[in-house]
Amino acid sequence: MARLTAVHVVDDGGLARLAEPRSDLLIEAADAQGRAFTAAVGPFTSYERHLDVADGPDGSHTVTETTEFRLAVPVWRVALTPLVKRRLRHRHDAMPWWAPPDHLDTRAAHGLGVLCLLSLVTGYLGTLLSQTIAFAVDEFEASDSAQGATLAAVRIGIVISVVLVALADRRGRRKILVATTVAACVVSSTAALSVDLWSYGTSQAVARGLSTAMALLIGVIAAEETPAGSRAYAASVLTLSAALGSGMVVWFLPLTDLGVRAWRLLYLLPLAIMPFAWAWARWLPETRRFEIQATAVRAKRRFTEGVDRGRFILLAVSAFLIAAFAAPASQFQNDFLKDERGFSGARISAFQLITNTPAGIGVFVAGRFADTRGRKVVATIGLIGGAAFTIGRYGDSGWPMWMWGTLATIIGSATIPALGVYGPELFGTANRGGANGMLGAIGVVGSSLGLLIVGFLSDELGGFGPTFAIMAIGPLIVAVLVIVAFPETARRELEDLNPGDAAGPTADPTPS
């Protein structure tokens, strides 16, 4: 329990202000005397504020204000409690910049904190293959073509994801997430026992499918449990958590210097964190929206029943075109820097660190703006700006290339929370998992085709610069679709967007 004490010497007006219930980081409820306050709505499992008033002979009042609270956010409360204490020292008229636009209640805050922990796991599992396959290839004495074939074959794991998230529409999000979390950690760790590149790739194909299903279910649960005005914010903090998990792989990468087989050590960590991940997943309750729709959901004959085809085609085309541009833009960067710009390994590492690190700024700011200013404007800026600056990154050299690379990362990352929420938002509870699984599969097809096209065009056109100028047509088409065809979903309840759903949980009556 955190404790905050402040002594104020005030006049009658100051006492009246202190006795007013707060409405910033939380909404307070006062007792009849206006001296004791609890949280009516707020991210706390426990919250109390007391005023002890001593009247002075000159009409002044000495007020001892004592606030005790415990955040509902598990694990992360260690870092967040000092921020909350600092905020509670003074009164404010708005939510702090680091908080969601809407007030989160105890359940929503706890759930989002747990989902961020699970996103750490998905980020780590999803990055293991790309960071370790070069070391596995060296041990197994395989060729570069075998490495490329393995990376391509692993993508078939998306089939597992589609099946699992569709099953979550029938059996419940929590049950499938718990099982998938355990399976993803265990199966990923089997790569440490690989005897050749085939067994290594097979284990990672299954593990990648399981971790992708985890990520999709995390997004669905967040959309169903987060207030209408904070869904993009939730998507942004989940993305940042996954990025932290991805970075953890890089932290442990120096272990590979211990020997040719040392890369296997990185696959033992998921086995070690599996009990914690299992416990975290079990902390989640089943979503209230699934419980409300459970009878209708289980009566479906097929998982596509009730899917709005127009919305699905719109999102599928967008996912395909974005992936066809984004995947090769990321995958071929090191080849471009090494072959066309003559970078050494150290300079490539520096370029990656300097230009990619600011992505968190773009993701976080875009998440907040997508909730407060609207998804469409943020997504359009991200698509056009990201594509334009990526062309500059591949078409320029010297210091401008570094500048374009940084801007491409910051602006382009705005599309993650702005467009990422549309998948969960535009489908009803009965189809939300299955539809998003199919969209994920279409995105994988787009990324695979994009890699093939860019590889071919770069050879034909003599470089990556003109190639990405052509490929940028994809995100520009999506930008037009966003402007003319995408609905604005900011601050709208899921039941408003999907009228076929029964009335969902009561929305926060006092959004910020």
Side-chain angles (χ1 to χ4, degrees):
M1 186 78 76
R3 183 184 179 91
L4 180 65
T5 302
V7 178
H8 313 274
V9 179
V10 295
D11 57 14
D12 290 343
L15 177 60
R17 285 190 293 273
L18 288 172
E20 292 176 356
R22 300 182 69 116
S23 182
D24 43 19
L25 188 60
L26 75 158
I27 299 175
E28 288 184 336
D31 66 357
Q33 291 74 37
R35 294 294 185 265
F37 305 83
T38 57
V41 179
F44 305 97
T45 55
S46 176
Y47 176 91
E48 292 182 354
R49 181 169 70 94
H50 296 277
L51 300 179
D52 292 324
V53 182
D55 299 326
D58 58 351
S60 65
H61 310 279
T62 300
V63 183
T64 302
E65 183 182 30
T66 303
T67 306
E68 294 182 324
F69 67 90
R70 180 177 175 82
L71 287 173
V73 184
V75 181
W76 305 103
R77 70 167 61 96
V78 175
L80 292 176
T81 294
L83 286 174
V84 173
K85 289 181 70 173
R86 182 177 179 180
R87 188 71 179 186
L88 292 179
R89 289 183 188 278
H90 306 284
R91 297 241 175 180
H92 301 272
D93 296 328
M95 297 287 277
W97 63 268
W98 45 265
D102 274 349
H103 294 102
L104 298 186
D105 61 15
T106 300
R107 177 183 174 121
H110 177 268
L112 185 56
V114 172
L115 293 175
C116 285
L117 290 172
L118 294 174
S119 290
L120 277 175
V121 180
T122 63
Y124 186 91
L125 297 180
T127 308
L128 268 175
L129 176 68
S130 61
Q131 291 291 341
T132 61
I133 189 170
F135 302 98
V137 166
D138 287 344
E139 179 186 341
F140 299 135
E141 298 180 349
S143 64
D144 289 342
S145 60
Q147 176 178 334
T150 301
L151 287 171
V154 163
R155 296 176 184 271
I156 199 173
I158 191 65
V159 175
I160 298 174
S161 305
V162 173
V163 172
L164 287 172
V165 292
L167 188 61
D169 280 340
R170 288 181 176 270
R171 301 295 179 85
R173 286 76 164 100
R174 177 184 181 274
K175 181 183 295 185
I176 302 302
L177 180 60
V178 171
T180 303
T181 297
V182 173
C185 292
V186 173
V187 174
S188 181
S189 295
T190 61
L193 304 176
S194 301
V195 296
D196 53 27
L197 196 59
W198 184 89
S199 60
Y200 171 75
T202 300
S203 74
Q204 289 310 288
V206 178
R208 179 67 66 89
L210 291 168
S211 63
T212 301
M214 280 182 65
L216 290 170
L217 287 172
I218 286 169
V220 167
I221 293 171
E224 292 184 345
E225 290 288 280
T226 304
S230 298
R231 287 193 295 264
Y233 170 89
S236 69
V237 296
L238 290 172
T239 300
L240 293 175
S241 298
L244 178 59
S246 298
M248 291 172 63
V249 180
V250 180
W251 299 351
F252 292 109
L253 208 56
L255 290 174
T256 59
D257 294 334
L258 296 176
V260 71
R261 296 169 57 86
W263 59 269
R264 299 170 184 266
L265 295 174
L266 278 72
Y267 286 90
L268 297 180
L269 183 59
L271 202 59
I273 66 174
M274 185 269 291
F276 299 98
W278 173 75
W280 296 336
R282 285 175 57 84
W283 285 349
L284 291 170
E286 182 54 78
T287 71
R288 289 171 291 188
R289 283 185 165 92
F290 179 82
E291 290 176 337
I292 292 171
Q293 300 291 334
T295 302
V297 166
R298 289 165 181 153
K300 288 192 310 175
R301 297 177 181 176
R302 59 187 187 280
F303 81 88
T304 57
E305 185 178 327
V307 173
D308 186 308
R309 293 185 179 181
R311 289 180 173 183
F312 183 83
I313 292 173
L314 179 66
L315 293 183
V317 170
S318 301
F320 182 92
L321 293 175
I322 291 173
F325 178 82
S330 174
Q331 189 71 37
F332 285 109
Q333 180 170 271
N334 287 1
D335 291 332
F336 162 75
L337 294 173
K338 179 172 66 70
D339 298 335
E340 295 192 23
R341 296 295 180 261
F343 274 33
S344 64
R347 289 191 72 190
I348 291 175
S349 178
F351 186 88
Q352 293 271 26
L353 181 64
I354 292 173
T355 61
N356 288 340
T357 300
I361 299 173
V363 170
F364 187 82
V365 173
R368 191 168 185 84
F369 275 32
D371 278 327
T372 57
R373 307 292 176 85
R375 279 81 157 112
K376 296 179 66 167
V377 62
V378 175
T380 302
I381 292 172
L383 288 164
I384 296 175
F389 292 132
T390 298
I391 294 172
R393 182 178 69 191
Y394 280 97
D396 217 330
S397 59
W399 68 264
M401 181 183 69
W402 294 69
M403 179 182 68
W404 301 136
T406 303
L407 290 173
T409 298
I410 296 174
I411 305 301
S413 62
T415 61
I416 298 174
L419 288 180
V421 291
Y422 274 106
E425 287 179 333
L426 294 186
F427 300 100
T429 304
N431 309 102
R432 193 165 285 129
N436 279 270
M438 290 298 297
L439 290 174
I442 291 169
V444 167
V445 174
S447 64
S448 300
L449 187 59
L451 290 168
L452 293 174
I453 293 174
V454 169
F456 172 78
L457 288 180
S458 63
D459 291 336
E460 293 295 316
L461 300 177
F464 287 104
T467 298
F468 279 105
I470 295 173
M471 295 298 292
I473 295 173
L476 294 181
I477 291 174
V478 178
V480 174
L481 290 175
V482 168
I483 294 171
V484 303
F486 273 60
E488 181 54 73
T489 60
R491 307 196 71 82
R492 294 179 64 185
E493 292 292 344
L494 296 180
E495 291 70 32
D496 179 30
L497 296 168
N498 302 281
D501 278 2
T506 303
D508 179 358
T510 54
S512 299

